[in-house]
Amino acid sequence: MRDVSAWREQFPILKRKVHGKPLVYLDNAATTQKPQSVLQVERHYYEHLNANIHRGVHALSQEATDAFEGARDKVRQFLNAKHTEEIIFTRGATEAINLVAQSWGRSEVRAGDEILVSEMEHHANIVPWQMLCEATGATLKVIPIDERGGLVPGAVESLMGERTRLVAITQVSNALGTVNPLGDIIRLARAAGALVLVDGAQAVAHMPVDVTALDCDFYVFSGHKLYGPTGIGVLYGKRALLNKMPPWQGGGDMIAEVTFRKTTYNQLPYKFEAGTPHIAGAIGLGAAVDFVRSVGLEKIAEHEDHLLQQATRLAAQMEGMRLVGTMPGKASILSFVLEGVHPHDIGTILDSEGVAIRTGHHCAMPVMDHYCLPATARASFAMYNTTDEVEVLFEALHRVKEMFLI
Amino acid sequence: MSDLRDLYQEVIFDHNRHPRNFGALANANRHAQGFNRLCGDRLTLHLKVQDGIIQDVRFEGSGCAISTASASLMTEALKGKTEAEANALFEGFHHMVTEGGETSVNLGKLAVLAGVSEFPARVKCATLAWHTMNAALHDHQDPVSTE
């Protein structure tokens, strides 16, 4: 048996009850719960270090700056980026993608250029590119998915052309669990002279990521899906690219010198961090990274896969249940529909049993359209979930079927 | 949260499985669409209103058990009512599912949906048909949403 009970101990919220039943939290693809170490480090920051960073000569400001910059280096190690200044703190993955679309996109993309996304993208990796295309006259092209929820074989090759400037692709689909073949996609993009942005929001908590080995140009993720705080995320970008890109938001901290005649900008990473950042959030993210690394992502991945296999077996035995997203090697996401029951009703009945799942379109409406579904129910597993909880999920699903007489 | 059976009463399952007044309506002179994209609930309402009286009403679409049953029960309740009575039912129903407790309007069979007030996340499901009816009577063109 893995050390799941020891892992669970780290998460205070898992002790609470919901509607008188023990909480079974299976909405981890939406956000993960936070371990004690993350909660403590944020509290410690506000109790002992709170000051603005990069400015003051006083002790608190220096200590806060050290903690903030220390967190940046933890993230660099976590992603295996070469340089600490390649790590830009943002509000989340969404803001990181918008930063690239607005800064790199507005300065580099011309009418007639093409941006490639996939049909399985989260809205956060679709809409910023649509906005860019609208502003520049570029074209958004879509890599289609097949019935299993994988990219249609050969589609990336056929859509990639000399006008392709960027491929924006998710590493793991939040609605389907599909893990995309990034190595192949990045090789094809290199050959076509296109850049690659990887949306790692659903990946970082489930598999080791090495941006240097991947050789992607940009990588984004959100802290709150990695057991860290909300409101903090990361943009990794190759230094040469980031240096060439114009600033996105203007304000304090991102400048070197301001006069009314001319303003010069700060160096990386500060050029892209206008205003007082989410200092406590960044420090909390650093603690989350420490936590995940201390457990080991290989161990986490192995445990989650065990849960997914168990759930997939039970799903196959349940009449009327259909999985949406059936690619081999999926991440720990079980998206499904029950014949004759709307996902919303499933969600309410499961909630009454203490089981938290997500129902709806998962911010991936094109995926729902692909399967001609209004919505799905989605259980997503994290390191602290147990085989017993998977059993509870399926007992609750049996209750749904009983109630709906199916 | 109160008991799940307060929300999912047998009448609701019955109307979900066998929605009444379901389908298109010939000679309808009022129409409106309701759409809750987050849940995927979608319905179109057709009304035949003559001399200020709702002669007939039917609906089409798909949604969860609560929204389907609510639409089905609503169509039954609306037939033969004046527009003013329909408005009063709308107000009474809305009060029942959002605030809970007694209303001054006699809601009859619609009272089976009273349990919704204990499930705030489901209020939007129960009220979609009613807001769509409201839009149809007031001739609003844009699809209605209760999200």
Side-chain angles (χ1 to χ4, degrees):
Chain A
M1 193 56 201
R2 297 158 187 83
D3 314 322
V4 187
S5 55
W7 298 345
R8 281 183 78 81
E9 278 298 306
Q10 305 295 313
F11 293 82
I13 205 170
L14 297 179
K15 294 183 179 73
R16 75 159 279 184
K17 295 201 164 175
V18 171
H19 311 310
K21 311 264 172 64
L23 167 67
V24 175
Y25 186 78
L26 301 178
D27 195 14
N28 296 288
T31 195
T32 51
Q33 301 301 346
K34 319 305 171 198
Q36 200 66 257
S37 59
V38 170
L39 304 176
Q40 272 166 0
V41 84
E42 278 210 54
R43 188 179 179 89
H44 179 265
Y45 165 75
Y46 283 121
E47 283 185 347
H48 299 281
L49 308 181
N50 182 48
N52 214 328
I53 53 170
H54 302 144
R55 297 168 173 66
V57 293
H58 57 80
L60 261 54
S61 176
Q62 193 51 52
E63 288 174 28
T65 303
D66 290 348
F68 182 78
E69 292 302 329
R72 195 191 306 276
D73 198 57
K74 286 176 185 183
V75 173
R76 179 197 67 75
Q77 289 176 43
F78 179 67
L79 294 179
N80 195 33
K82 287 199 187 92
H83 310 287
T84 308
E85 66 266 32
E86 293 177 319
I87 305 299
I88 316 286
F89 283 124
T90 64
R91 279 193 298 139
T94 297
E95 190 177 66
I97 296 171
N98 277 279
L99 193 165
V100 176
Q102 292 300 313
S103 167
W104 172 82
R106 293 281 192 136
S107 59
E108 293 288 330
V109 174
R110 304 278 173 266
D113 284 349
E114 292 166 4
I115 306 286
L116 214 52
V117 298
S118 86
E119 198 181 356
M120 72 174 83
E121 298 308 313
H122 187 282
H123 297 161
N125 204 22
I126 299 174
V127 182
W129 307 116
Q130 284 178 323
M131 290 163 66
L132 174 65
C133 288
E134 199 156 299
T136 59
T139 308
L140 192 69
K141 292 200 153 183
V142 183
I143 309 161
I145 57 174
D146 60 20
E147 273 316 288
R148 296 183 303 172
L151 300 177
V152 169
V156 180
E157 289 93 318
S158 61
L159 285 165
M160 194 93 67
E162 56 183 30
R163 295 306 299 267
T164 310
R165 300 298 313 277
L166 177 105
V167 184
I169 183 101
T170 193
Q171 188 168 10
V172 173
S173 157
N174 73 314
L176 302 164
T178 310
V179 180
N180 280 320
L182 289 184
D184 297 345
I185 294 167
I186 292 167
R187 258 194 309 280
L188 287 165
R190 285 281 164 273
L195 301 182
V196 178
L197 177 142
V198 177
D199 175 359
Q202 290 295 336
V204 283
H206 307 290
M207 58 189 68
V209 172
D210 181 333
V211 291
T212 302
L214 268 178
D215 193 31
C216 56
D217 301 285
F218 301 106
Y219 191 96
V220 307
F221 73 90
S222 296
H224 72 95
K225 292 190 202 288
L226 183 69
Y227 310 104
T230 54
I232 189 78
V234 167
L235 165 66
Y236 156 81
K238 283 185 177 169
R239 187 165 63 180
L241 272 169
L242 293 174
N243 268 325
K244 268 183 68 186
M245 284 159 51
W248 178 36
Q249 295 177 334
D253 231 23
M254 56 74 75
I255 48 85
E257 190 180 9
V258 176
T259 68
F260 283 111
R261 196 173 49 79
K262 184 173 171 53
T263 290
T264 51
Y265 303 122
N266 205 339
Q267 61 197 17
L268 289 177
Y270 315 112
K271 181 171 89 174
F272 292 110
E273 294 179 353
T276 298
H278 185 7
I279 304 167
I283 295 170
L285 175 57
V289 163
D290 282 344
F291 172 74
V292 168
R293 294 183 88 199
S294 73
V295 173
L297 273 162
E298 287 86 357
K299 251 179 160 175
I300 293 173
E302 188 200 341
H303 170 62
E304 290 173 346
D305 190 55
H306 181 71
L307 299 176
L308 181 69
Q309 297 313 323
Q310 178 196 3
T312 307
R313 272 196 308 278
L314 289 167
Q317 291 162 15
M318 183 170 268
E319 211 175 312
M321 185 165 178
R322 177 161 74 92
L323 298 186
V324 181
T326 50
M327 281 293 283
K330 257 180 21 168
S332 56
I333 285 171
L334 194 81
S335 209
F336 61 92
V337 288
L338 266 183
E339 206 182 313
V341 192
H342 191 280
H344 231 81
D345 296 311
I346 299 174
T348 294
I349 298 168
L350 262 52
D351 181 57
S352 74
E353 300 287 330
V355 180
I357 62 156
R358 172 80 185 267
T359 63
H361 56 58
H362 317 297
C363 295
M365 288 185 188
V367 172
M368 299 299 117
D369 290 344
H370 177 86
Y371 289 96
C372 299
L373 293 168
T376 74
R378 179 188 70 186
S380 50
F381 307 110
M383 61 183 299
Y384 40 66
N385 292 126
T386 65
T387 52
D388 286 349
E389 288 181 317
V390 176
E391 297 283 345
V392 173
L393 164 68
F394 278 85
E395 281 161 23
L397 286 172
H398 278 291
R399 172 123 201 261
V400 173
K401 291 187 64 171
E402 277 165 30
M403 284 187 74
F404 276 77
L405 300 177
I406 59 159
Chain B
M1 188 174 69
S2 60
D3 192 270
L4 207 52
R5 285 284 172 192
D6 292 343
L7 178 65
Y8 290 105
Q9 300 198 25
E10 272 314 313
V11 180
I12 287 172
F13 284 123
D14 176 37
H15 279 260
N16 179 47
R17 271 183 225 114
H18 311 289
R20 319 297 199 269
N21 304 307
F22 191 82
L25 177 62
N27 307 322
N29 53 7
R30 308 277 179 89
H31 309 267
Q33 290 188 328
F35 188 24
N36 280 345
R37 184 78 220 215
L38 272 174
C39 341
D41 293 350
R42 181 195 290 273
L43 71 90
T44 307
L45 198 66
H46 312 285
L47 292 144
K48 188 182 170 195
V49 184
Q50 229 167 22
D51 306 325
I53 293 171
I54 299 169
Q55 306 282 354
D56 205 356
V57 49
R58 291 173 77 77
F59 79 104
E60 299 175 277
S62 67
C64 64
I66 304 301
S67 85
T68 303
S70 179
S72 173
L73 286 157
M74 180 189 80
T75 57
E76 287 191 327
L78 286 179
K79 275 193 204 180
K81 296 283 191 297
T82 65
E83 291 192 48
E85 286 167 339
N87 283 331
L89 276 179
F90 172 83
E91 297 296 335
F93 183 84
H94 199 264
H95 180 88
M96 175 183 77
V97 296
T98 53
E99 313 285 327
E102 294 298 305
T103 63
S104 52
V105 187
N106 179 15
L107 292 169
K109 213 168 152 187
L110 298 171
V112 295
L113 283 156
V116 170
S117 68
E118 297 289 322
F119 295 78
R122 307 306 298 277
V123 169
K124 63 182 190 290
C125 314
T127 54
L128 181 63
W130 288 89
H131 281 280
T132 309
M133 182 275 291
N134 203 30
L137 286 185
H138 296 96
D139 243 355
H140 294 154
Q141 297 300 316
D142 295 333
V144 175
S145 171
T146 54
E147 283 174 336

